[in-house]
């Protein structure tokens, strides 16, 4: 059983004052006081990802201690308030359990160092990093004709001011790499269409959270969207491996 980290993001009043282990339904009730959007499926997912290890009765039912509930609350809080991925949260909590004095990891932001010349767009508040057309071509090691072809097929698109975000840089690099294997932009349109359908499913899940009056719940919607996107990518990769019957690193 994992001990509860003292203080920091893992400390809250979510746990019951009774030290007796409780069922997953009781855990859900306790957590929903602070996290109204949490579900039993979410708790089971966090268990599957190794964020909590409840006891099991001989008949297989989960039993959560107050320490387990506090740990779950800490995980949900770090997701909501700091937008941290589960891997980073797990490493942070494990370090606390080892008695290490560690700072809460900083919220991930778009890297300014993705390619030379990257700059921040907007004034007065942080936004995603932007680059110009020449920087994009340099990052993808592509020429103007190739970029024009990608844009014609809707694989990459500039913003109204002609700049590109970090996501466009990633796409351009991957499209260029696939092109070296003979995959042309026309081949990749179907892949993009599938990704857009997956994004639509994610949006259906987080839309109610984004409309919530509580600003913390709305912020949690963004963290949830990122988590769902990661799971979707993993599932897609697993299906590709299954279809090809190969094991990728």
């Amino acid at each position: 059983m994992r001990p509860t980290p003292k203080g920091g993001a893992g400390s809250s009043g979510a746990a019951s004052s009774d030290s007796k282990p409780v069922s997953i339904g009781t855990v859900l009730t306790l957590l929903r006081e602070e996290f109204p959007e949490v579900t039993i499926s979410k708790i089971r997912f966090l268990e599957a990802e190794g964020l909590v290890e409840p006891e099991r009765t001989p008949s297989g039912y989960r039993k959560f201690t107050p320490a387990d509930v506090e740990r779950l609350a800490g995980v949900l809080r770090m997701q909501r308030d700091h937008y941290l991925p589960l891997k980073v949260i797990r490493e942070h909590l494990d370090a606390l359990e080892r008695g290490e004095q560690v700072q809460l990891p900083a919220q991930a932001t778009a890297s300014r160092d993705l390619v030379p010349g990257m700059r921040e767009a907007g004034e007065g508040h942080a936004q995603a990093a932007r680059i110009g057309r020449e920087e994009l071509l340099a990052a993808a090691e592509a020429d103007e004709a190739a970029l024009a072809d990608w844009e014609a097929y809707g694989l990459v698109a500039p913003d109204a001011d002609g700049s590109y975000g970090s996501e466009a840089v990633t796409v351009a690099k991957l499209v260029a790499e696939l092109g070296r294997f003979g995959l042309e932009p026309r081949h990749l349109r179907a892949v993009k269409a599938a990704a857009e359908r997956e994004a639509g499913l994610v949006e259906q899940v987080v839309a109610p959270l984004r409309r919530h009056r509580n600003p913390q719940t709305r912020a949690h919607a963004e963290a949830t969207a990122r988590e769902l996107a990661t799971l979707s990518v993993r599932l897609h990769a697993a299906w590709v491996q299954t279809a090809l019957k190969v094991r990728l690193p």
Side-chain angles (χ1 to χ4, degrees):
M1 177 66 60
R2 295 175 184 264
T4 304
K6 297 181 180 180
S11 178
S12 82
S16 169
S17 58
D18 188 352
S19 60
K20 183 179 178 181
V22 296
S23 68
I24 193 170
T26 301
V27 173
L28 181 66
T29 300
L30 292 170
L31 291 176
R32 276 188 169 169
E33 294 179 8
E34 182 179 354
F35 310 99
E37 71 285 349
V38 73
T39 63
I40 285 181
S41 295
K42 174 73 171 182
I43 296 172
R44 288 172 175 164
F45 169 73
L46 293 177
E47 178 189 356
E49 291 294 309
L51 273 301
V52 67
E53 298 175 4
E55 298 175 353
R56 293 274 185 163
T57 67
S59 56
Y61 290 102
R62 297 172 177 83
K63 288 296 181 180
F64 295 80
T65 65
D68 293 329
V69 180
E70 291 287 357
R71 184 178 175 94
L72 284 168
V75 171
L76 294 171
R77 194 171 297 111
M78 280 189 277
Q79 283 189 304
R80 182 194 65 194
D81 299 342
H82 300 276
Y83 314 108
L84 297 174
L86 292 180
K87 179 182 178 181
V88 174
I89 292 174
R90 186 188 304 109
E91 292 172 351
H92 175 71
L93 293 178
D94 289 346
L96 289 177
E97 290 171 4
R98 292 193 297 269
E100 300 176 10
Q101 298 296 321
V102 293
Q103 294 288 334
L104 190 65
Q107 174 182 336
T109 57
S111 173
R112 300 185 184 190
D113 302 320
L114 184 60
V115 294
M118 182 165 283
R119 61 184 182 278
E120 295 294 327
E123 297 180 0
H125 60 281
Q127 294 186 7
R130 320 299 303 173
I131 65 171
R133 195 173 187 85
E134 292 183 1
E135 290 86 359
L136 179 66
L137 291 172
E141 299 180 0
D143 56 26
E144 182 65 41
L147 179 54
D149 203 19
W150 301 343
E151 291 177 337
Y153 280 93
L155 305 181
V156 178
D159 284 345
D161 62 358
S163 65
Y164 299 84
S166 57
E167 295 86 357
V169 177
T170 300
V171 169
K173 287 182 174 181
L174 292 172
V175 170
E177 286 292 333
L178 290 168
R180 296 185 181 100
F181 289 89
L183 290 174
E184 301 176 6
R186 60 188 176 88
H187 300 137
L188 301 178
R189 284 199 301 180
V191 179
K192 183 174 185 290
E196 290 172 344
R197 288 194 295 271
E198 292 176 21
L201 291 175
V202 172
E203 183 58 34
Q204 288 180 27
V205 174
V206 302
L209 300 180
R210 285 176 171 163
R211 293 193 297 266
H212 204 279
R213 291 183 177 181
N214 187 333
Q216 291 183 333
T217 300
R218 294 198 301 270
H220 180 61
E222 305 309 316
T224 300
R226 282 190 290 272
E227 185 174 324
L228 289 174
T230 299
L231 292 172
S232 178
V233 169
R234 289 171 57 187
L235 178 60
H236 180 84
W239 275 336
V240 171
Q241 292 180 53
T242 300
L244 296 175
K245 293 183 171 52
V246 298
R247 183 176 296 277
L248 301 178

